[in-house]
Amino acid sequence: MKEIPYKIYLDEKELPKKWYNLRADMKNKPAPLLNPATMKPMTENELEAVFCKELVKQELDDTTAYFDIPDEIVEFYKMYRPSPLIRAYCLEKKLGTPAHIYYKFEGNNTSGSHKLNSAIAQAYYAKKQGLKGVTTETGAGQWGTALSMATAYLGLDCKVYMVKVSYEQKPFRREVMRTYGASVTPSPSMNTNVGRKILEKHPGTSGSLGCAISEAVEDATTHEGYRYVLGSVLNQVLLHQSIIGLEAKTALDKYGVKPDIIIGCAGGGSNLGGLISPFMGQKLRGEADYRFIAVEPASCPSFTRGKFAYDFCDTGMVCPLAKMYTLGSNFIPSANHAGGLRYHGMSSTLSQLYHDGLMEAVSVEQTSVFEAAEYFARTEGILPAPESSHAIRVAIDQALKCKETGENKVILFGLTGTGYFDMVAYEKFHDGQMQDYIPTDADLQQGFDGIPAQPEF
Amino acid sequence: MKEIPYKIYLDEKELPKKWYNLRADMKNKPAPLLNPATMKPMTENELEAVFCKELVKQELDDTTAYFDIPDEIVEFYKMYRPSPLIRAYCLEKKLGTPAHIYYKFEGNNTSGSHKLNSAIAQAYYAKKQGLKGVTTETGAGQWGTALSMATAYLGLDCKVYMVKVSYEQKPFRREVMRTYGASVTPSPSMNTNVGRKILEKHPGTSGSLGCAISEAVEDATTHEGYRYVLGSVLNQVLLHQSIIGLEAKTALDKYGVKPDIIIGCAGGGSNLGGLISPFMGQKLRGEADYRFIAVEPASCPSFTRGKFAYDFCDTGMVCPLAKMYTLGSNFIPSANHAGGLRYHGMSSTLSQLYHDGLMEAVSVEQTSVFEAAEYFARTEGILPAPESSHAIRVAIDQALKCKETGENKVILFGLTGTGYFDMVAYEKFHDGQMQDYIPTDADLQQGFDGIPAQPEF
C-alpha cells in the first residue's frame, strides 16, 4: 500500500469534468416541489419566474446521472480546487485511536467554505441568461460571501439578505461581501412585505434562514432582470456540490482507501449531500456499502425530531413547498452560533434517503461542538467553523468508539469551512458564557402547527 | 514546455529538508549584534539570557549554508506545507499584460501567514531546552497567532504583547490566540517597566512593534524558564523562512521558469528574506541574476528614507543593537493599517544586501495598496492582508509596465497572508475614510535623533 501523505492534492487535470446527480440512482425519487398557490407540482415555467432557466432544468432532472461542468466554471474552480483531502494523523495520535480519520477541507478559499462550488455555477447560469443580477439570503455569511465572489468575477449585481443574528455576530463578513461589491441587508428588513410582516409579529427576532429566503425571493420577483439563487436545500445545489465527494473519492481510490463511515454537518444539506453523493450512488447501485451520518444542532433538529412532510421552504410562504424533514416554517431557532445550521427544513433528496433508512442522523449540543472545535484547532492546526465542528464532534466520538473496541475503521468527514468570522462565538465559549438549548416538545409543536395540510396526488 | 497549472503544489516528499542560510554566501556579512551596555558584539553567552540556545547558534552562524530541519518540525510543516505557488492567470488576463505573474501563497493556514514557519521552529527549540514558555510581541497579530498555534501543539506557555492599534482593530485575533491557549496583552502595558515608562511619556500612543518587543523581552528576562522569541528581523527567522523561497524555486524549476523580478513586502524582513534567499544565493554566487524589490509603506519607510546605522531594535533599548536601515527606535509610525509593517528597523541581512546594491526598495501609499488589494481579491479570489498587498501593488505596477513595453517578464511575489482580520481597515477604505500619511523630514529627524553614536571597531 502506498504511503499516505498528510494532504492528498489531486492534480488540476483530475478535477472532475462532470457533476454527479445522485437522484438518477435513487429508486424513491425526492418528491417534486409544489406551487404554494395550487399545491400542484411546480412546472418548469413557474420555476423560471424565480430561478435561472438552466438551473430549473437541473432542479427538475432526476434521471440524468452526469452534467458537464461548463469550461468557464472549471476555470474558476482551478483557482481554489481541487481542495485537499487531509489525513488527520495528528488527531488520530492525540486521540490514541486505531481509526484512520480523513477530512475533505473546503475552507481554503476566501468565502471560507464549500459554498463557492455552487455560487459560481449559479452566477454563471444567471450571466448566461443575460440577467442583471441575483438576490439571495445568507446565514453564517459563507454563502453570501461565496456568491459575492462569483458575481464580482462575472460582473453581476448581488443583493444579500443576511440573517440578523449572523449580521450582528459577524460584522466583518459584511465587509468581505462589500469588498466583492455586494449589498448586504440584515433580515428581517423593511425592504420587503414579508420582512415588514415578520418584524410586526416578532419585533425582537434574531431572524432565520427561512425568513431571509422569503425576502430575497420577493426582491428578485419584484425587480426586472433579477433571479433568486439559493446556497443549499435545492437539488441543483447538491448537484454542484457533488464535486466535493467526487474529488474525495478519486483521492481515496488513488490510495486504495475505502471509508467505513462518512460524516457531515447538515443545515440545508448542501455539504453533506455533496460529500456523500458518489458514495451513496455506489450504495444505491449495490456496488459498495457505507455508513452515512448527518449531524445537526440539538437546537434545530430537523432530521432527528422533525416531521417528513410537505412544508414551506421559507417563513413567508412565498417559495415552493418541498417534501422534507421539517420543524415547520414558523419554527424560529434559538440564537445558536452555527448560523448556517439554523434552517427549519432539509434537502428533499437527503430527506428521502434518510426516510428510506439509507442514512443516519444525530444531533449534538453547542458546547460539546465547541469543545471539539478547540481540540481540533489545537491538534490539526485548522480553526474550524462552528457548522463544520458538528461533524468534527461526531468524527471524534466515532474515533473514540474505535479506541474502545479496537476497530481500525476509516472515518471520512467534511470540514466545510473555517471559523475566522466566528470569533464572537469562540469568545463566548472561552468565557464560559455559551449555553446549550434544546427545544421542548411544546416549542416543536408550535412549529409543527404551521405545516400545511398534506396534498394528495 | 510543460503546461503550467493554476496552482503548483509540490509533493510532500519535495518539502525541503534543510533551511538555507543566505549569510553563508554573502561577501559582506551583516554586522554583528551589539550589547547595549558595552557597545561590543554580543557573545553567545549574553544572547542566551534572552534567546534559546540553539537559536543563538543559528543567529550567530554566518558560514554554514544549510541547517537540517528537525524531523518534528518537518512533521508539523506537513500539516500546511508545501504551500502553493500560484500562477495568476486571471490577474494577467484582467490586466491585459504580457507578463507572467506568480505568487507564493502563505495564507492557507490558521495563523493566516508565513509566520508559522519560524514559530514552530522557535517553539521547538524552546521545548528542547526544557523551558516553560516563551514571550513575544505581535503587530498585525499574525506572528502571535502563529506562535500560539506552535506552543499549543508542543504544550508550552505563550505570552503575547500585541501592538495596541492592532489589538483594537483586530479584536478577533485575540480570540484566535486564546483558542490556542495564549495570553494576550495590549502594548504598551503596565506589566513592565518599559511599558509604564512609554505610557507616561506618550499616554495616547497606539503602540509600535519596537515598544512591544521591549515589553516581551523584559517579561522573558525577569521570569524563570522563559525566553523571548521574535517573528522577524533576526537572522534565525530569515533562516527558517528560507523554506518559502526554497519551495518556490523548486516549483518554478520543475516547470523551467526563471523569474525576472522578485517582489516582497518588508516590515522586519521575514517574508522578503525568506522568499528571496535561494535566488539571492544564486546571484551572490554569480550563477544567475534577478531583480529584487522590497516594498514598504510610505508611512514607515525604513529602506527608502532611513539611515544605515547601528540602532536599538526596540523602543525601550533593552535589546541588542543591530546595524540596519532604521528610522530610529523612537520613531512612532502613524496608525497605518498594515500593522505588520510598522517597524522602525529592518533585518540586518536585508539591510546589508540593500546597502550593497543587490536589492531595490520602493515605498507605496496606503490607499493605493488597498485599491490593489480589492482588485486582486475580485480577480484572483483571495482576500489579501494589507501587508501582502504592498507587494501586490508593485507586482501590478510592474505588470502594467510590461504592458506598455510589451515585455513578457516573469514576476514572482510573496502573498504572505490573508486579510480576514483586517476588515476594519477594508471598511475604512470602502467608506472613503482611509488617509495616506507620509512623514515629513522633520518627523523623520526626530527619529534619527534617537540613533546612538556609532561604535568604532
Side-chain angles (χ1 to χ4, degrees), chain A residues 139-331:
Chain A
Q142 290 163 334
W143 166 248
T145 311
L147 189 66
S148 64
M149 287 175 69
T151 50
Y153 182 79
L154 296 170
L156 285 169
D157 190 25
C158 180
K159 302 194 225 174
V160 180
Y161 288 86
M162 186 168 185
V163 177
K164 201 184 232 169
V165 59
S166 296
Y167 186 90
E168 284 165 0
Q169 283 178 357
K170 304 182 178 191
F172 296 163
R173 272 280 180 204
R174 186 192 61 227
E175 288 309 317
V176 179
M177 291 187 247
R178 279 180 85 196
T179 301
Y180 288 96
S183 75
V184 190
T185 308
S187 166
S189 78
M190 298 298 283
N191 282 10
T192 63
N193 285 327
V194 169
R196 287 187 287 268
K197 223 188 283 177
I198 291 172
L199 281 173
E200 218 170 274
K201 239 176 151 175
H202 307 278
T205 179
S206 55
S208 68
L209 273 178
C211 163
I213 292 173
S214 299
E215 292 206 79
V217 170
E218 184 182 321
D219 190 325
T221 51
T222 54
H223 290 89
E224 186 71 27
Y226 284 80
R227 289 294 183 284
Y228 167 69
V229 296
L230 177 61
S232 192
V233 181
L234 295 174
N235 296 320
Q236 59 189 266
V237 177
L238 265 67
L239 175 69
H240 307 146
Q241 294 295 359
S242 67
I243 196 160
I244 303 173
L246 291 165
E247 283 184 10
K249 190 163 185 311
T250 304
L252 288 170
D253 286 349
K254 269 180 110 159
Y255 289 88
V257 176
K258 184 191 163 295
D260 297 298
I261 310 174
I262 301 174
I263 301 166
C265 63
S270 69
N271 143 68
L272 180 68
L275 176 66
I276 68 172
S277 275
F279 303 100
M280 182 61 87
Q282 287 188 300
K283 183 163 174 162
L284 291 168
R285 296 189 303 269
E287 297 165 9
D289 198 17
Y290 305 95
R291 229 186 119 187
F292 300 100
I293 307 177
V295 189
E296 57 186 15
S299 61
C300 194
S302 323
F303 270 139
T304 51
R305 297 177 69 196
K307 292 208 185 305
F308 187 49
Y310 261 112
D311 195 11
F312 297 98
C313 290
D314 60 325
T315 315
M317 307 179 186
V318 299
C319 287
L321 289 90
K323 188 162 182 189
M324 59 186 177
Y325 279 84
T326 177
L327 298 166
S329 64
N330 291 323
F331 178 79

Side-chain angles (χ1 to χ4, degrees), chain A residues 9-21:
Chain A
Y9 276 107
L10 296 178
D11 194 274
E12 199 167 283
K13 288 182 187 118
E14 296 170 292
L15 197 66
K17 298 289 180 298
K18 291 169 193 292
W19 292 304
Y20 167 60
N21 182 12

